[in-house]
Amino acid sequence: LSGDFDTSYIGMEKAMSIRLNASNYPTVKAMAHISNNSLNAIVNDLLEVALGYIVENMNEKDLSKLKNEQSIVWAEWLEEVKKKEGR
């Protein structure tokens, strides 16, 4: 989320249902409203910042575990997309 609340995305997206708790929803909704962005765009920006911080502070062992698990998830997701496209 930039200082002027601009956001943009390019690439694949995964539709899913999430629930925001009572302390987060008003802030996220307000950010979406004042920036003229969707809730999805705001949540994705916030996740990018938070995950970036967490990953930067992970030890090598945990980072390796994360990367291995990410590879598995990517492979499963790509297979799912191919099936939907009939490949």
Side-chain angles (χ1 to χ4, degrees):
L1 194 64
S2 66
D4 59 4
F5 296 106
D6 287 335
T7 187
S8 65
Y9 294 98
I10 298 173
M12 292 174 44
E13 294 179 336
K14 173 74 172 164
M16 60 184 4
S17 174
I18 64 166
R19 290 178 177 82
L20 300 176
N21 65 35
S23 63
N24 290 326
Y25 176 74
T27 303
V28 172
K29 181 71 173 174
M31 285 179 167
H33 178 76
I34 63 176
S35 68
N36 291 318
N37 287 304
S38 68
L39 286 172
N40 286 336
I42 298 301
V43 170
N44 272 294
D45 280 351
L46 293 170
L47 279 170
E48 218 170 292
V49 171
L51 293 172
Y53 177 81
I54 291 167
V55 168
E56 284 179 15
N57 290 286
M58 288 178 113
N59 62 46
E60 290 299 317
K61 181 180 175 185
D62 289 340
L63 187 57
S64 178
K65 283 184 196 177
L66 177 63
K67 288 183 178 187
N68 287 336
E69 189 64 27
Q70 282 177 313
S71 295
I72 293 167
V73 172
W74 266 110
E76 291 171 350
W77 187 21
L78 290 174
E79 193 60 36
E80 179 184 320
V81 169
K82 286 179 186 178
K83 285 181 184 176
K84 285 182 181 177
E85 292 178 347
R87 292 195 236 167

